[in-house]
């Protein structure tokens, strides 16, 4: 019944720590607010009830929105043309690479198939290159996290006759603005390749700089990151690609609708404009913020990240900073010596944060034994301070382990997270108190989030298929 379904959905929702609870600091994911006002159009029948294949004259309003949004995205990225078809960032990468491939084929250079990929790249980059039939060659990074320009020069020259492209992220997934980015672009162009810019980090660029200005030939955007579409849990995404003029004619077409370039590659999604229903979110976000608002959002995202970096650097260390000592819109906290110093794993800290009411940051990506943190512009100073206070408190708990004030194994950090079921049980065997376990800081009482599942043996779970059938709805 509707009653039961409603309660079932709410029950699942209660088990999920989300933006309605606290900041989600997942680095590289840009978990910014989706404003309620931008979601409203999704309930309008005029957007919700139109089939992607209706005759064009029945979807003129949609087309107007698609064209206006494409124009705005072209302006923001400094590019000539846009395809909204790809349904995710990774799908955008694949599409962009196929467009580059078609461009080379049209010039009789279809043999160009080497993709240079920096060691710092997101895993989707080499995966997409492989999907597009390319050979990947890794470019080293230096000790400051930047692309090793000498290595790039050598590899670009070595593979010049087969060079297809570089896939470069800016600011890089190491969280800093690569100061030699234009030199990197020139090296690839001089050796006959195209520059694919992974635009997942556009939250640090919008209104300040753009891929076109930097010299990229194609980039993708993650509208579900930078442009406020909600994400997580595998929901629909939008990963448009924006291209320079010479690539526009190869943008993907569709057999049932007029879209793409004159010599467009085949469709990369079932629907001609991808996840069109959620485009009004991005459209509204851009139109409501306007030029100065978008720039302000970028500035605040960078300022917030740098605030956290300064507040946390003495407790944890920041793995990479730029030449000015600053980070971009995200940073990597260094926990690589925590195992040695405190006997604590990076994942223990991530789990303990749940007891403090926070979703874990990105764990061990792109550097092992680190936490990657991206606050976004959506968070207030008070929320940033709560987050810092929590991480510092967890650091103190680690120090108590080191100093022998807490048991080496049975301590609040290694036993985290603590569920309501455990905290309220008649028996409690830990050497530390219940209060310490679930209310480690005073303000947590006012808005406690209880994780639903305690620490599990992930390795065991990966190797042993366990059936939860029957117990799933029963509550065990
Ligand atoms: C998120 C991300 C991607 C992939 O985007 P999806 O929409 O998750 O497919 C690619 N590169 C970087 C740097 C990212 O952060």
């Amino acid at each position: 019944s509707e009653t039961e379904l409603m309660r079932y959905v709410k029950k699942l929702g209660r088990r999920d720590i989300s933006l309605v609870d606290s900041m989600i600091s997942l680095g590289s994911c840009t978990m910014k607010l989706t404003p309620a006002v931008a979601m409203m159009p999704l309930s309008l029948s005029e957007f919700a009830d139109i089939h992607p294949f209706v005759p064009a004259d029945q979807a003129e309003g949609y087309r107007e929105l698609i064209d206006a949004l494409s124009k705005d995205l072209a302006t923001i990225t400094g590019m000539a043309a846009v395809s909204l078809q790809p349904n995710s960032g990774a799908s955008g990468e694949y599409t962009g690479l196929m467009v580059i491939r078609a461009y080379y084929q049209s010039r009789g250079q279809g043999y160009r198939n080497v993709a240079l990929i920096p060691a710092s790249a997101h895993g989707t980059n080499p995966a997409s290159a492989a999907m597009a039939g390319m050979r990947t060659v890794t470019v080293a990074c230096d000790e400051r996290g930047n692309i090793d320009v000498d290595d790039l020069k050598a590899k670009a020259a070595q593979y010049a006759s087969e060079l297809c492209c570089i896939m470069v992220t800016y600011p890089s997934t190491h969280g800093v603005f690569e100061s030699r980015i234009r030199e990197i672009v020139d090296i690839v162009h001089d050796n006959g390749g195209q520059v694919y810019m992974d635009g997942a980090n556009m939250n640090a660029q919008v209104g300040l700089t753009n891929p076109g200005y930097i010299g990229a030939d194609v980039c993708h955007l993650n509208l579900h990151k930078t442009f406020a579409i909600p994400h997580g849990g595998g929901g629909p995404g939008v990963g448009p690609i924006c291209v320079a003029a010479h690539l526009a004619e190869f943008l993907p077409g569709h057999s049932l609708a007029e879209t793409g370039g004159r010599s467009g590659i085949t469709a990369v999604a079932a629907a001609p404009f991808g996840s069109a229903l959620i485009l009004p979110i991005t459209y509204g976000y851009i139109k409501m913020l306007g030029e100065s608002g978008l720039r302000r959002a970028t500035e605040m995202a960078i300022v917030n990240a740098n605030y956290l970096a300064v507040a946390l650097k003495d407790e944890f260390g920041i793995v990479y900073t730029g030449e000015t000592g600053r980070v971009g819109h995200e940073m990597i906290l260094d926990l690589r010596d925590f195992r040695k110093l405190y006997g604590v794993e990076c994942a223990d800290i991530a789990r303990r944060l749940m007891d403090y009411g926070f979703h874990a940051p990105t764990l061990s990506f792109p550097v092992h034994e680190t936490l990657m943190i991206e606050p976004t512009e959506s968070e207030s100073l008070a929320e940033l301070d709560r987050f810092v206070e929590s991480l510092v408190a967890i650091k103190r708990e680690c120090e108590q382990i080191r100093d022998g004030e807490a048991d080496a194994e049975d301590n609040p950090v290694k036993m985290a997270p603590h569920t309501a079921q455990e905290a309220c049980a008649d028996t409690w065997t830990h050497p530390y108190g219940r209060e310490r376990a679930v209310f480690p800081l005073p303000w947590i009482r006012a808005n406690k989030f209880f994780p639903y599942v305690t620490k599990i043996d992930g390795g065991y779970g990966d190797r042993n298929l366990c059936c939860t059938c029957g117990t799933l709805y029963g509550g065990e």
Side-chain angles (χ1 to χ4, degrees):
S1 69
E2 180 171 341
T3 313
E4 283 174 316
L5 180 66
M6 169 182 76
R7 289 177 189 153
Y8 173 63
V9 169
K10 179 70 185 174
K11 181 164 101 180
L12 295 183
R14 267 202 306 267
R15 291 179 188 177
D16 187 23
I17 189 159
S18 76
L19 273 188
V20 308
D21 300 291
S22 54
M23 164 164 86
I24 298 184
S25 63
L26 282 167
S28 206
C29 294
T30 312
M31 303 300 286
K32 67 170 68 180
L33 174 80
T34 302
V37 66
M39 298 266 270
M40 284 168 65
L42 273 55
S43 303
L44 297 177
S45 161
E46 289 84 347
F47 286 114
D49 297 339
I50 295 191
H51 193 277
F53 299 156
V54 294
D57 64 358
Q58 293 176 29
E60 283 173 356
Y62 244 121
R63 195 57 204 240
E64 200 179 314
L65 180 136
I66 285 166
D67 291 343
L69 176 59
S70 299
K71 195 161 158 278
D72 284 349
L73 295 178
T75 305
I76 287 168
T77 54
M79 291 295 193
V82 173
S83 169
L84 292 168
Q85 201 176 88
N87 282 320
S88 73
S91 171
E93 291 169 26
Y94 171 77
T95 311
L97 294 175
M98 293 302 277
V99 163
I100 292 175
R101 187 167 164 265
Y103 165 75
Y104 279 126
Q105 283 170 345
S106 77
R107 296 161 56 99
Q109 297 189 333
Y111 52 83
R112 287 189 174 274
N113 73 341
V114 168
L116 299 174
I117 300 186
S120 56
H122 192 272
T124 50
N125 290 183
S128 300
M131 287 278 289
M134 295 179 188
R135 272 199 299 149
T136 62
V137 172
T138 305
V139 178
C141 285
D142 64 20
E143 73 286 349
R144 305 205 60 171
N146 298 305
I147 291 177
D148 181 336
V149 176
D150 290 333
D151 191 48
L152 173 66
K153 271 186 196 148
K155 300 252 164 78
Q158 183 187 344
Y159 293 99
S161 63
E162 319 152 77
L163 185 60
C164 181
C165 64
I166 186 170
M167 296 185 82
V168 61
T169 309
Y170 183 79
S172 77
T173 45
H174 285 160
V176 289
F177 289 99
E178 198 99 40
S179 57
R180 296 171 78 178
I181 185 70
R182 294 185 94 167
E183 203 181 330
I184 290 165
V185 166
D186 289 343
I187 292 168
V188 175
H189 282 156
D190 290 347
N191 285 282
Q194 296 281 293
V195 174
Y196 182 98
M197 185 167 281
D198 179 328
N201 289 344
M202 276 300 286
N203 217 39
Q205 284 197 43
V206 178
L208 299 179
T209 181
N210 63 51
Y213 172 76
I214 295 164
D217 302 289
V218 47
C219 69
H220 80 258
L221 298 172
N222 300 62
L223 300 192
H224 48 288
K225 292 180 181 172
T226 314
F227 294 94
I229 291 175
H231 61 130
V238 187
I241 58 165
C242 310
V243 298
H246 63 287
L247 296 178
E249 66 172 288
F250 304 105
L251 286 175
H254 195 278
S255 53
L256 294 176
E258 208 179 302
T259 182
R262 266 181 296 125
S263 331
I265 60 167
T266 54
V268 295
F273 303 102
S275 316
L277 172 62
I278 49 181
L279 294 179
I281 300 174
T282 294
Y283 180 84
Y285 174 84
I286 291 174
K287 292 298 185 201
M288 284 185 280
L289 279 177
E291 197 180 321
S292 65
L294 287 170
R295 189 184 321 114
R296 175 89 179 144
T298 309
E299 288 166 353
M300 285 313 299
I302 296 172
V303 166
N304 279 356
N306 277 283
Y307 179 81
L308 288 182
V310 170
L312 293 168
K313 73 174 193 301
D314 293 335
E315 298 286 352
F316 295 90
I318 309 297
V319 179
Y320 298 116
T321 51
E323 282 154 22
T324 56
R326 299 286 179 204
V327 296
H329 66 309
E330 58 189 355
M331 94 225 52
I332 303 176
L333 281 195
D334 198 348
L335 285 81
R336 286 174 295 188
D337 53 5
F338 268 52
R339 188 184 314 204
K340 199 170 85 219
L341 293 178
Y342 312 111
V344 163
E345 306 282 326
C346 195
D348 293 326
I349 310 269
R351 278 187 290 261
R352 181 62 171 150
L353 264 175
M354 285 189 256
D355 286 333
Y356 285 76
F358 286 104
H359 193 289
T362 297
L363 181 69
S364 286
F365 169 85
V367 182
H368 211 59
E369 295 293 305
T370 62
L371 293 175
M372 191 187 206
I373 295 174
E374 177 183 2
T376 83
E377 72 280 10
S378 304
E379 300 302 338
S380 64
L381 182 59
E383 182 72 357
L384 299 181
D385 284 340
R386 278 195 331 114
F387 185 70
V388 169
E389 196 186 349
S390 301
L391 272 174
V392 171
I394 296 173
K395 171 86 182 303
R396 298 286 167 273
E397 292 175 336
C398 293
E399 289 162 359
Q400 288 174 351
I401 305 171
R402 178 196 62 194
D403 299 341
E405 291 162 33
D407 186 83
E409 288 306 318
D410 197 352
N411 59 63
V413 182
K414 298 201 82 164
M415 291 297 130
H418 300 84
T419 61
Q421 195 174 316
E422 184 182 11
C424 300
D426 287 343
T427 47
W428 175 265
T429 56
H430 300 299
Y432 53 92
R434 289 180 153 98
E435 228 178 315
R436 176 66 187 279
V438 302
F439 298 126
L441 287 173
W443 43 259
I444 296 171
R445 283 166 205 282
N447 191 20
K448 175 66 185 172
F449 178 88
F450 273 108
Y452 185 72
V453 179
T454 188
K455 185 175 179 177
I456 54 168
D457 185 340
Y460 180 89
D462 287 347
R463 284 188 299 270
N464 297 276
L465 184 65
C466 307
C467 184
T468 55
C469 332
T471 60
L472 202 52
Y473 306 105
E476 276 310 303

